[in-house]
Every structure is written in structure tokens, then in C-alpha cells.
Amino acid sequence: MDLSASTLLCPPLEFTDKKDHGVISPSDSSFLKKQQPTIPMEFIWVKEGVDHAHEELREPVVDLEGFFQGDEVATQHAAMLIRAACLNHGFFQVINHGVDSHLITVAYDHMEAFFKLPLSKKLRAQRKPGCLWGYSGAHADRFSLKLPWKETLSFGFHDNGSKPIVEDFFKSTLGQEFDQTGLVYQKYCEAMKELSLALMELLAISLGVDRSHYREFFKEGNSIMRCNYYPPCQEPGLAFGTGPHCDPTSLTILHQDQVGGLEVYVNNKWRTVRPRRDALVINLGDTFKEAFPQFIVECDVNPLKEECVYVSSIVCCEINLDQSRAHSQALSNGRYKSCLHRAVVNRYKERRSLVFFVCPREDKVVTPPEDLVCREGTRKYPDFKWSDLLEFTQKYYRADDATLQNFTKWLLSAKPPNHH
């Protein structure tokens, strides 16, 4: 898969509408809704057509009811399911998650109302250069090729101050008439934050570290909320709603509508993630992946199975010797996975999703817990601040499947040794 062309950030887009022979501004998203036989070339990702998924991802569905009730047996079972998913691909779904279903419905209602506004009104919240928050049509303000077939509305969330930051965003950008919208999304983000801390506790349990470690690390986080609207696309075989990428953030909590479109790349195949009304889709991002150092450890060879047994302070798992024979050592590439995924578009139906990206506070140093690092181990990634990775993905690099590796190279070359 060639992702190289998508990595470099480009100047703001101005391209020609083939029908009208006019120049479309980066702020004009109306081209997404025009009924034309072909799409502009700037939206074409693969000329030979998208390799569609034909199989479903068999990700675990984790019931959180027992965890919230303090049932230790149910908690350990949930942690076991999460560990199995994260060792494989980093995706799972949660049910009985504590988020009010009516709140989710109302959040969709307000999102639909916003994206149906005339463009002139949506542009009151237009994302400004260098800013993460605001309205964007196809991210044309950031990229000039392989544009995503979508509109987005993004805003930040934290609960570290006295003011409700989400309510303030809607009032300041869209006016007093969006007071109720701001209130709905304030409550939605608060519910996402509460759920994210519960998930962080379960992730810690799954790794055998102090169960409060990640909860404490993320409790003062600065997270990102995004509303995605994917219009129908007349050539869904050439475009993506969101191109293949790994999230650079820590944890993603997604609710998708019933249209479907989320796909995950596992075992050299794209696989669909089935929408469930009662579930939220969870996946790990690159920042959390950094919490699991790469170990090179001595291992024993079982001559009967011809397999190498990888041993760490956390888990024991078996790795096929064909993948690693050198000097009877096994290489674990940061055991938990941040998996490549994408959103495909539909010819006839619009699609919507609500996404909450869990991030640490920007000045937090991202580093694995001490008890995860074995004496024999070698760290794969250096310590870094979340603000460094955020800067990298916003200014220098378009997120793909190699973001963290390229970020590490950039960090070591661009930053002085003791920049923390």
C-alpha cells in the first residue's frame, strides 16, 4: 500500500471545478454536495479503485456493567478481552458503557442541524490556520491532494477550569442561538471523559500495572471532540471519507450511525466494523502505543513447536520463529497495537459519526510506567510531550501508518536533547 503521497502537508487548496471551470475556495464545501458524474481529481485516492472490505472484524464486545458495579470477576474478564484485542489490532466495542443513549441521539440531532446550515453560517466557525478547532470542508485548508470526502466540526474539551469550554466555543463562534448545542456537547464530552478514565483503568489492569496509573495521567487531559459528516459520493470507489491512518492521539471513542463505513486493516485485509446502536467503538492511538516499549529479551525455544516464547513482566505470548530467529531472541514491537483504519463513503447514503479523541495535557511527558520496562529491554521511542506530537501532525506530517516512527526521527533531529 502506497501511503507516501499522503504524508506531506500541503499549502491550502484552490482547484478547478471541472463543470463550471471556476476556482473553488478552500472554505467552500458545497462541491461535496453537487450532483456531478465525476468527483474532482483532488478527492481521488486510488485510480484503480478502492480495495473494499469483504469480511467483518471480529473485535470483542466488552460489557462494562460489572466493572461499574465493582464486580472484580467481571472486571478481570473485561480486562482480558481488552488485552486480547489490543495485542491483535487495538479495536474493541463497549456496551453498558454508562453514556445516556438519549444524549447520543440529541448529539446527532444537533450535528445534523449544524451541517444543514447554509455555508455562510457554518463558516462563522471556520477553522483558522494553525488552530485545531472549528469547521472544515474536506480539510482543504490543510491538504491539496487526497482530500477526505467529508465535513467536520472540531472543538476542544477539558474540565480543568471553572468555565464550560465547549459551551463557550459555540457561543463565541456561532452565537447565542447555539447555546443549547453547546450545552449538549458539553455534557457529551463530560460523559466521554468519564468513560475514558474507566477505560484507562481497565487498560492498566490488562497490562498488570497499577490500575490508577493511566487514570491519573489522563484525568487533566485536553481532548478533542469531532463531528463527522460524510455526504453521499458519486464515485465511492475512488474516494475516502477518511483515508488510511493511525490516530496520533491516545484513545479514540467513536459512535457511528447505522450506515457503516469504518474499516480496519488486520492480517493484510481490510475488515468492516459493524455498527451497533448500543455500543461505542474504542481504538488505541499512537500516543498510548508509546507506553509499551520495544523489548529485545532472551527467550527459550520449544523444539517440538518450533516457536519462540516471549517473556516479559506483563504477558507471555508465542511468536512464530519464522518471524524472528536471530540469536534466539524475540522482538516485540510495543505489544499493544495502534491499527491502520479508514472510513469509506456511500453512493446513496450520508454517514455521520461522533468521535472523542482522548489526549493527555499538552505538557505531559509521554513515557511508559517504570514497572513495564524490563532490565533487558530497549526502549523503542524516546520520551516526548504530547504537544510535540500534536505540532508534528498539524504542521509537518499527515497521519498515516508510520506517524510515530517518523515523529521519532523528527523529534531527535529537530529538538535539543534535553528539551523537556
Side-chain angles (χ1 to χ4, degrees):
M1 179 184 304
D2 179 17
L3 296 177
S4 59
S6 70
T7 57
L8 295 178
L9 296 193
C10 305
L13 165 73
E14 288 191 355
F15 62 84
T16 301
D17 182 323
K18 295 178 181 178
K19 180 179 180 181
D20 297 326
H21 302 288
V23 175
I24 298 177
S25 162
S27 63
D28 182 7
S29 61
S30 61
F31 52 82
L32 288 169
K33 300 178 181 179
K34 289 183 178 180
Q35 297 300 316
Q36 301 180 44
T38 59
I39 61 174
M41 61 175 294
E42 287 78 8
F43 288 91
I44 295 175
W45 284 71
V46 281
K47 293 181 180 179
E48 64 274 16
V50 172
D51 178 20
H52 288 289
H54 300 289
E55 298 178 27
E56 213 174 88
L57 182 69
R58 299 182 180 274
E59 80 283 5
V61 178
V62 183
D63 190 337
L64 298 183
E65 184 174 20
F67 169 78
F68 286 124
Q69 292 177 350
D71 184 329
E72 192 58 31
V73 174
T75 295
Q76 292 298 327
H77 179 67
M80 178 190 69
L81 291 175
I82 289 172
R83 187 177 83 177
C86 294
L87 286 170
N88 189 13
H89 45 62
F91 272 78
F92 56 96
Q93 299 203 44
V94 293
I95 57 174
N96 293 317
H97 41 64
V99 182
D100 187 350
S101 60
H102 178 67
L103 177 59
I104 296 174
T105 300
V106 173
Y108 273 114
D109 290 343
H110 281 266
M111 173 169 56
E112 185 172 3
F114 173 80
F115 285 118
K116 285 187 175 180
L117 288 173
L119 180 62
S120 59
K121 289 192 175 181
K122 288 187 282 191
L123 289 179
R124 284 154 58 181
Q126 183 178 5
R127 187 166 65 186
K128 295 177 174 59
C131 182
L132 285 171
W133 325 135
Y135 167 77
S136 175
H139 293 334
D141 55 325
R142 297 184 61 210
F143 311 128
S144 62
L145 292 173
K146 295 188 176 181
L147 297 181
W149 193 265
K150 68 177 177 179
E151 297 177 70
T152 63
L153 179 65
S154 307
F155 43 93
F157 172 77
H158 65 75
D159 51 9
N160 306 330
S162 56
K163 291 184 178 181
I165 184 173
V166 178
E167 290 184 62
D168 284 355
F169 168 80
F170 278 91
K171 286 181 184 177
S172 62
T173 58
L174 291 166
Q176 196 67 35
E177 64 266 36
F178 285 84
D179 182 41
Q180 189 65 24
T181 302
L183 179 61
V184 167
Y185 285 118
Q186 179 75 33
K187 291 184 178 296
Y188 188 88
C189 289
E190 288 170 355
M192 290 294 107
K193 172 68 176 292
E194 185 175 349
L195 173 60
S196 74
L197 295 180
L199 292 170
M200 289 300 174
E201 186 170 337
L202 282 166
L203 283 163
I205 294 170
S206 77
L207 284 162
V209 300
D210 187 294
R211 63 191 297 163
S212 66
H213 179 87
Y214 295 118
R215 177 185 281 271
E216 289 298 313
F217 186 82
F218 285 97
K219 72 177 182 180
E220 294 181 347
N222 296 325
S223 294
I224 303 166
M225 178 72 203
R226 177 168 294 163
C227 303
N228 289 319
Y229 170 70
Y230 304 92
C233 179
Q234 56 269 38
E235 292 186 291
L238 300 180
F240 285 122
T242 304
H245 69 287
C246 297
D247 295 338
T249 49
S250 300
L251 190 75
T252 302
I253 305 176
L254 166 80
H255 192 280
Q256 56 176 339
D257 67 13
Q258 295 303 294
V259 174
L262 175 62
E263 298 182 350
V264 182
Y265 196 69
V266 178
N267 296 329
N268 298 316
K269 290 183 180 179
W270 286 106
R271 302 170 191 266
T272 62
V273 178
R274 179 190 296 184
R276 292 180 54 124
R277 294 184 190 278
D278 61 340
L280 293 162
V281 181
I282 315 297
N283 70 273
L284 295 185
D286 283 342
T287 304
F288 196 90
K289 176 183 173 182
E290 197 279 340
F292 312 101
Q294 174 171 325
F295 295 105
I296 301 176
V297 296
E298 296 298 328
C299 58
D300 299 319
V301 175
N302 183 333
L304 298 178
K305 286 189 174 184
E306 286 197 343
E307 286 175 335
C308 178
V309 181
Y310 161 72
V311 183
S312 81
S313 59
I314 314 152
V315 295
C316 292
C317 60
E318 294 180 339
I319 301 174
N320 194 304
L321 257 186
D322 289 338
Q323 299 172 358
S324 179
R325 286 184 175 273
H327 306 296
S328 297
Q329 294 179 336
L331 184 66
S332 174
N333 188 22
R335 295 306 305 157
Y336 277 14
K337 303 291 180 66
S338 172
C339 202
L340 195 68
H341 56 285
R342 68 188 186 185
V344 298
V345 287
N346 191 290
R347 183 185 295 274
Y348 305 106
K349 296 179 180 179
E350 63 183 15
R351 178 177 179 262
R352 301 165 301 158
S353 65
L354 296 160
V355 194
F356 189 78
F357 298 102
V358 181
C359 311
R361 203 176 63 210
E362 291 188 6
D363 62 350
K364 281 278 191 179
V365 176
V366 178
T367 187
E370 288 184 8
D371 50 350
L372 269 185
V373 182
C374 342
R375 290 181 181 176
E376 301 94 343
T378 301
R379 287 281 304 280
K380 181 176 182 181
Y381 305 112
D383 291 351
F384 63 87
K385 292 182 182 178
W386 163 236
S387 57
D388 292 333
L389 181 55
L390 189 61
E391 177 189 6
F392 180 68
T393 56
Q394 292 302 305
K395 293 183 179 179
Y396 306 111
Y397 194 85
R398 188 173 185 175
D400 60 9
D401 62 340
T403 301
L404 203 54
Q405 292 90 331
N406 285 296
F407 166 69
T408 299
K409 295 175 185 176
W410 173 83
L411 184 71
L412 295 176
S413 64
K415 299 283 185 180
N418 298 314
H419 69 280
H420 299 307

